[in-house]
């Protein structure tokens, strides 16, 4: 929570030209009080809820920002920053100046936050390469990661995967936790463990041959994180985020593959539950794992959230593998009573036709339709959004933040408001450019999502 206080101090200094005077003494006559909720407040009764209340003290009004927990207070402070100080969630990433003022007017009206549509919601910062080089230090330090996590919190997110396959001594995961975020894991790094090939160079990454080495990595990861806010990801994919049987060709049937994945996931779940009381766990049903699960070859432990993935291009179907594109629906069955969520891309890195450094190339209305369809199917316990390196993807990042908060969004209204926030002039012309972008991006197939980003340019010469 101290980081959120630091943000507000910085914001008020930018707005008023001087920082606020901080005190822990109520006798000092403060204008703003920040505190945890009590039973007398009668505000939102859910985790992360916050409220604004007002009282009179010495003939002046005092504003109370009240949170049910640390994240509730953080969200309350950032709501105050956005709606009264005028600080945009993407002020850093969009190079927005913060307007100086001599005063702000706050209506003396009680306010209760709304419950978010999605319980666990956040970003996978899957472009740490573009964050390297800001500073000489490697891996990226606090100055690089802080604005990433700040923007996520300002968008109402509460969890993050802070990059993948970064050195273990990096600050990224610890800083995310210190800023109040839940840390979750990439499906290629189950339980947040170091990749096998990095930890044991020269050893064959085959669980059948080296189960103790795999489990040592899992146990080390659990021990390190067991006292933190973690959403544990269970998974079993091979090195380099590929099917595990590439390093174990003896698993040559769906039955063998599904049984091995099931056994490994059950073992991971067992290890977590030995060390963590009531852990929040999910299983990434990604690519071949989703297909095996749909075919009935994979068992998922009870109580584990099932995470479904789009194809990397925003459509909730299976991912294309080179020229094979089966487009198997990637959503839960109507009769599945489990908790479900989604892993969704507005940027992707498949070295074929995806966008990585440019904006999402398919129609924006498709994002709304696909995410709402997932919610309708019951996949609203978890939403992990592949956010890339933030800056090129502000528009869809902002759109998804509205969806995970409210469950729906009007595309035209959202775009108009987004353009008004980020651009001072020529709003109508810029809005038309955004609206025409998907029409002008390269179509490489017959489907609505078969739209190419900048990686298409590099893919063709390779072939």
């Amino acid at each position: 929570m101290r980081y959120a206080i630091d943000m507000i101090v910085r914001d008020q200094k930018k707005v008023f030209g001087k920082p606020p005077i901080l005190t822990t003494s109520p006798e000092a006559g403060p204008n703003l009080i920040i505190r945890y909720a009590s039973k007398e407040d009668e505000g939102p009764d859910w985790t992360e809820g916050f409220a604004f209340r007002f009282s009179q003290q010495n003939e002046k009004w005092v504003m109370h920002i009240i949170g049910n927990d640390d994240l509730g207070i953080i969200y309350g402070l950032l709501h105050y920053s956005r709606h009264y100080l005028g600080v945009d969630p993407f002020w850093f990433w969009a190079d927005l100046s913060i307007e100086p003022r001599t005063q702000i007017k706050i209506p003396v009206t009680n306010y209760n936050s709304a419950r978010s549509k999605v319980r666990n919601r956040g970003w996978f910062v899957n472009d740490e390469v573009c964050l390297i080089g800001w500073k000489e230090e490697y891996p990226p330090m606090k100055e690089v990661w802080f604005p990433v996590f700040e923007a996520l919190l300002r968008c109402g997110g509460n969890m993050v995967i802070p990059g993948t396959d970064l050195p273990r001594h990096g600050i990224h995961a610890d800083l995310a936790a210190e800023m109040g975020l839940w840390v979750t894991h990439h499906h290629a790094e189950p339980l947040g463990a170091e990749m096998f090939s990095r930890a044991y160079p020269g050893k064959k990454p085959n669980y059948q041959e080296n189960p103790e080495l795999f489990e040592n990595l899992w146990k080390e990861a659990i021990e390190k994180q067991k006292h933190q806010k973690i959403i544990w990801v269970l998974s079993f994919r091979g090195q380099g985020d590929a099917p595990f049987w590439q390093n174990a060709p003896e698993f040559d049937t769906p039955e063998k593959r599904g049984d091995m994945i099931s056994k490994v996931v059950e073992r991971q779940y067992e290890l977590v539950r030995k060390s963590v009381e009531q852990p929040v766990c999910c299983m990434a049903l990604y690519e071949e794992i989703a297909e095996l699960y749909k075919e009935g070859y994979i068992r998922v432990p009870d109580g584990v959230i099932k995470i479904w993935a789009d194809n990397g291009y925003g459509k909730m179907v299976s991912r294309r593998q080179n020229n094979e594109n089966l487009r198997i629906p990637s959503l839960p069955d109507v009769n599945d009573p489990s908790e479900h969520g989604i892993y969704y891309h507005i940027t992707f890195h498949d070295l074929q036709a995806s966008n990585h450094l440019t904006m999402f190339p398919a129609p924006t209305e498709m994002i709304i339709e696909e995410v709402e369809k997932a919610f309708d199917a019951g996949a609203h316990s978890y939403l992990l959004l592949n956010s890339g390196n933030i800056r090129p993807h502000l528009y869809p990042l902002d759109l998804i933040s509205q969806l995970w908060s409210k469950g729906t969004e009007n595309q035209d209204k959202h775009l108009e408001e987004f353009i008004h926030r980020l651009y001072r002039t020529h709003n109508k012309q810029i809005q038309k450019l955004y609206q025409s972008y998907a029409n002008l991006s390269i179509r490489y197939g017959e489907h609505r999502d078969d739209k190419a980003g900048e990686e298409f340019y590099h893919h063709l010469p390779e072939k």
Side-chain angles (χ1 to χ4, degrees):
M1 188 175 15
R2 65 184 176 87
Y3 285 109
I5 299 291
D6 292 344
M7 292 178 209
I8 297 303
V9 169
R10 181 201 60 206
D11 294 350
Q12 293 214 163
K13 184 176 180 180
K14 287 179 176 290
V15 172
F16 298 119
K18 58 183 180 180
I21 299 172
L22 302 179
T23 178
T24 58
S25 172
E27 290 77 24
N31 297 307
L32 177 63
I33 294 176
I34 303 163
R35 61 180 174 85
Y36 292 104
S38 65
K39 293 181 180 179
E40 291 74 26
D41 292 313
E42 297 183 353
D45 61 356
W46 52 82
T47 303
E48 302 176 1
F50 68 89
F52 294 166
R53 296 291 184 267
F54 299 87
S55 65
Q56 282 192 300
Q57 185 175 328
N58 298 327
E59 298 184 351
K60 74 172 184 179
W61 285 103
V62 178
M63 181 180 184
H64 298 246
I65 297 179
I66 305 166
N68 289 345
D69 50 23
D70 287 353
L71 268 176
I73 289 179
I74 291 169
Y75 292 144
L77 288 168
L78 296 180
H79 186 92
Y80 162 79
S81 173
R82 177 173 185 175
H83 293 277
Y84 298 121
L85 298 180
V87 179
D88 192 272
F90 295 122
W91 71 271
F92 176 88
W93 297 97
D95 298 315
L96 299 177
S97 59
I98 297 175
E99 181 182 350
R101 305 184 190 184
T102 57
Q103 64 177 2
I104 59 173
K105 294 183 179 180
I106 301 174
V108 183
T109 304
N110 289 345
Y111 175 84
N112 291 328
S113 65
R115 188 196 296 264
S116 294
K117 173 69 175 181
V118 180
R119 184 173 71 246
N120 306 300
R121 53 201 183 274
W123 294 345
F124 170 26
V125 188
N126 188 23
D127 192 7
E128 60 274 8
V129 171
C130 285
L131 299 178
I132 295 169
W134 293 21
K135 302 285 183 179
E136 291 185 4
E137 297 89 351
Y138 177 80
M141 302 301 289
K142 176 181 176 180
E143 294 83 357
V144 177
W145 285 108
F146 189 94
V148 175
F149 302 148
E150 176 182 342
L152 173 56
L153 287 166
R154 287 182 180 272
C155 287
N158 63 3
M159 73 171 180
V160 69
I161 299 179
T164 53
D165 199 27
L166 289 170
R168 300 287 112 178
H169 65 272
I171 194 177
H172 41 286
D174 290 337
L175 180 63
E178 289 171 8
M179 293 181 69
L181 292 163
W182 290 74
V183 173
T184 190
H185 312 123
H186 187 257
H187 49 252
E189 296 178 321
L191 306 181
E194 188 171 11
M195 285 191 181
F196 185 97
S197 294
R198 183 177 287 278
Y200 304 113
K203 293 282 187 179
K204 189 175 182 180
N206 185 315
Y207 182 77
Q208 283 279 90
E209 297 180 12
N210 296 299
E212 298 86 0
L213 298 183
F214 274 94
E215 293 188 14
N216 286 341
L217 293 176
W218 301 337
K219 291 174 183 177
E220 289 172 7
I222 293 169
E223 184 64 25
K224 178 181 179 181
Q225 303 169 92
K226 66 182 182 181
H227 299 302
Q228 299 176 357
K229 297 195 310 184
I230 302 295
I231 299 174
W232 304 90
V233 171
L234 316 174
S235 183
F236 189 51
R237 303 201 75 216
Q239 304 303 291
D241 197 14
F244 80 88
W245 50 84
Q246 289 188 3
N247 295 301
E250 64 270 25
F251 291 89
D252 53 3
T253 67
E255 292 86 353
K256 292 179 183 178
R257 294 167 177 176
D259 186 60
M260 175 53 67
I261 292 171
S262 300
K263 287 179 178 177
V264 170
V265 165
E266 287 166 1
R267 179 59 176 154
Q268 293 171 352
Y269 193 42
E270 178 186 6
L271 291 174
V272 172
R273 290 193 296 171
K274 279 184 178 179
S275 298
V276 182
E277 186 177 352
Q278 296 183 326
V280 180
C281 295
C282 59
M283 180 173 175
L285 301 178
Y286 189 66
E287 292 198 44
E288 74 283 349
I289 297 180
E291 293 173 10
L292 290 168
Y293 176 79
K294 283 275 190 179
E295 293 166 355
Y297 297 116
I298 286 181
R299 305 177 300 276
V300 179
D302 292 340
V304 172
I305 305 169
K306 298 169 186 172
I307 309 303
W308 303 86
D310 73 315
N311 61 351
Y313 294 82
K315 192 71 177 176
M316 294 302 298
V317 296
S318 59
R319 178 181 169 184
R320 183 185 68 244
Q321 297 291 342
N322 296 315
N323 290 326
E324 183 181 80
N325 194 6
L326 301 179
R327 297 181 69 86
I328 299 170
S330 183
L331 285 174
D333 296 332
V334 293
N335 297 321
D336 190 338
S338 307
E339 285 194 78
H340 300 273
I342 62 172
Y343 168 40
Y344 197 79
H345 295 78
I346 47 90
T347 171
F348 194 34
H349 186 51
D350 70 346
L351 301 177
Q352 294 186 47
S354 56
N355 73 300
H356 200 49
L357 303 176
T358 54
M359 201 166 71
F360 184 77
T364 308
E365 59 264 27
M366 190 187 77
I367 295 178
I368 299 174
E369 292 170 7
E370 292 298 301
V371 173
E372 287 182 346
K373 186 194 304 179
F375 291 164
D376 290 342
H380 49 69
S381 291
Y382 177 109
L383 197 165
L384 180 67
L385 181 65
N386 194 314
S387 63
N389 69 325
I390 317 301
R391 190 179 181 96
H393 312 296
L394 299 185
Y395 174 40
L397 287 177
D398 195 72
L399 177 62
I400 293 286
S401 76
Q402 297 302 308
L403 289 168
W404 73 30
S405 295
K406 300 184 296 186
T408 187
E409 183 57 291
N410 180 285
Q411 179 198 351
D412 293 335
K413 180 180 178 183
H414 172 264
L415 178 58
E416 182 179 356
E417 292 176 351
F418 177 82
I419 297 299
H420 180 76
R421 282 165 42 202
L422 266 65
Y423 302 94
R424 296 293 177 87
T425 62
H426 300 86
N427 287 5
K428 292 295 184 183
Q429 296 94 318
I430 295 172
Q431 186 171 337
K432 289 180 180 178
L433 288 175
Y434 273 75
Q435 290 169 330
S436 64
Y437 184 82
N439 295 329
L440 300 175
S441 59
I442 298 171
R443 177 178 291 279
Y444 63 85
E446 61 184 85
H447 302 288
R448 196 180 184 192
D449 52 297
D450 291 341
K451 303 284 281 186
E454 84 285 344
E455 288 196 350
F456 193 63
Y457 171 82
H458 303 281
H459 175 63
L460 289 177
E462 288 178 1
K463 300 301 179 183

